[in-house]
Amino acid sequence: MTQVTDHGGGVHSIKVPIPDNPLGHTLVHVLETGRGPVLIDTGWDDPEAWDTLGAGLEAVGTGVAEIHGVVITHHHPDHHGLSGRVREASGAWIAMHAADTAIVRRTHASRPGTWMTYLVAKLTAVGAPEEHLAPLREAAAHGGRTRTLPGLRAAVPDREIVPGELLDLAGRALRAVWTPGHTPGHVCLHLEEEHPGNLPGRGRLFSGDHLLPGISPHIGLYEDPDDATVTDPLGDYLDSLERIGRLGAAEVLPAHQYAFTDAAGRVGELLAHHEERLTGLLGLLAEPLTPWQLAERMEWNRPWERIPHGSRNIAVSEAEAHLRRLVKLGRAEAVPGSEPVAYLAV
């Protein structure tokens, strides 16, 4: 059964399934405007997801062909995956922050095997063992198998979301708030209108993956094989969290889980969680550890030996993001001459 929620004031959400993913679904929001419905995110490019999205739109009294525009919080495939199909069926425009649009364009332009070759080099540098690297080397040697990866068919957006500006939506006041961290171009969208249920606060916030009620989003490195810039995604995320906490939104409509109130309280919980985690990592770094060794010792939602091969790559990226934050804060440093590079608490 299609699960649709009426949030009042011309806003609905549709639970669009994500195949083989513990998150279960993406909450695609439908915003009524004077020129027709606008989607905030679209869901994964999958037949069941497409059918669910269509059925959900019918349940709220519209259809895919009637969609006027698509606003994407960030480029990940569970948010942007179906945007191209929606545009083909409706002629809708697609809007995204320039930093994430650049990732979509780069993915389209990349040569087969580029990503896998980069990944092997990167994981070698952070101390991954040969048994983890071997299947990646094999894949790289055979063209990288990159054509099976999500995102390769992602639609290139035709409009830019400009931070701080109201989107061009007839009859609606929706302002873009740049919230990098989960991705470099992640945006939240502040509906600056009176809450339909008269909840105290300043309107409603479509928070994408930035602010979720029960989990913390993955914060890993901003991966670009052609860019050696040392970024600080966790620092970006923490700064963005504080900015969102100051908005004072009456209600948060995230892209996963469920709608909730007390955005400032949830921001406080996440800030405390990451500070606690950074402090815990300093304890682990009482001895020199490579990023891979640190990831092995970090606390995850399951023991390290039960984390699948691909998910270990994501975990190591998150460990590296935390290390970069500690180094930038002067709380850890690389051990001179170590190869692969190891880090030690200061």
Side-chain angles (χ1 to χ4, degrees):
M1 180 179 294
T2 301
Q3 298 188 55
V4 176
T5 301
D6 183 354
H7 297 279
V11 177
H12 295 81
S13 62
I14 305 169
K15 285 187 176 181
V16 176
I18 310 172
D20 303 318
N21 189 295
L23 279 174
H25 62 266
T26 301
L27 291 171
V28 173
H29 291 93
V30 187
L31 179 65
E32 297 174 12
T33 80
R35 296 192 187 98
V38 167
L39 299 183
I40 298 176
D41 292 334
T42 58
W44 193 282
D45 186 4
D46 173 77
E48 182 185 359
W50 175 251
D51 291 345
T52 302
L53 177 63
L57 289 170
E58 289 182 9
V60 302
T62 187
V64 174
E66 306 304 316
I67 299 302
H68 172 61
V70 176
V71 181
I72 299 299
T73 60
H74 62 294
H75 74 87
H76 287 165
D78 55 324
H79 297 257
H80 182 44
L82 285 173
S83 301
R85 292 194 67 178
V86 171
R87 182 164 62 188
E88 289 171 5
S90 64
W93 47 262
I94 302 172
M96 185 184 286
H97 187 282
D100 274 19
T101 295
I103 294 173
V104 174
R105 292 185 184 279
R106 185 176 74 235
T107 303
H108 278 266
S110 65
R111 299 182 305 275
T114 297
W115 172 253
M116 204 62 69
T117 301
Y118 163 77
L119 190 60
V120 169
K122 172 182 173 298
L123 289 170
T124 300
V126 299
E130 182 56 34
E131 61 264 26
H132 184 87
L133 295 170
L136 299 175
R137 294 189 201 279
E138 178 71 14
H142 291 85
R145 301 179 190 168
T146 55
R147 296 300 147 196
T148 64
L149 295 175
L152 287 162
R153 297 185 302 171
V156 177
D158 43 73
R159 290 193 182 185
E160 181 180 341
I161 296 175
V162 180
E165 292 190 2
L166 289 172
L167 278 73
D168 183 18
L169 303 180
R172 307 308 301 242
L174 188 68
R175 191 176 304 277
V177 184
W178 185 33
T179 50
H182 185 55
T183 71
H186 191 292
V187 294
C188 293
L189 301 150
H190 189 199
L191 191 60
E192 297 177 343
E193 302 170 9
E194 185 176 342
H195 191 281
N198 295 316
L199 293 179
R202 298 181 57 236
R204 291 179 281 182
L205 183 74
F206 299 99
S207 65
D209 280 2
H210 185 70
L211 190 61
L212 303 169
I215 55 177
S216 175
H218 165 69
I219 308 297
L221 299 187
Y222 300 149
E223 304 282 14
D224 182 350
D226 300 319
D227 188 353
T229 303
V230 179
T231 57
D232 181 18
L234 183 55
D236 292 344
Y237 178 66
L238 298 176
D239 289 345
S240 300
L241 270 181
E242 293 184 349
R243 187 158 58 250
I244 288 299
R246 292 192 292 268
L247 283 179
E251 187 177 23
V252 180
L253 304 175
H256 302 289
Q257 298 191 300
Y258 50 85
F260 62 100
T261 57
D262 192 16
R266 181 60 181 146
V267 164
E269 291 174 357
L270 286 167
L271 291 172
H273 161 75
H274 282 285
E275 181 56 35
E276 181 180 343
R277 195 169 207 199
L278 289 169
T279 299
L281 297 189
L282 286 174
L284 294 175
L285 293 170
E287 59 174 320
L289 295 175
T290 66
W292 183 274
Q293 291 170 330
L294 182 63
E296 288 179 315
R297 291 160 173 78
M298 288 171 68
E299 184 176 335
W300 305 104
N301 60 1
R302 67 190 101 174
W304 181 257
E305 59 271 13
R306 290 174 48 201
I307 296 178
H309 185 277
S311 297
R312 290 186 180 190
N313 299 335
I314 297 171
V316 172
S317 182
E318 189 156 326
E320 289 182 275
H322 282 74
L323 279 169
R324 285 193 182 181
R325 178 95 288 249
L326 288 171
V327 169
K328 188 168 184 178
L329 292 171
R331 298 164 74 181
E333 61 184 20
V335 177
S338 57
E339 187 178 346
V341 62
Y343 292 83
L344 189 65
V346 175

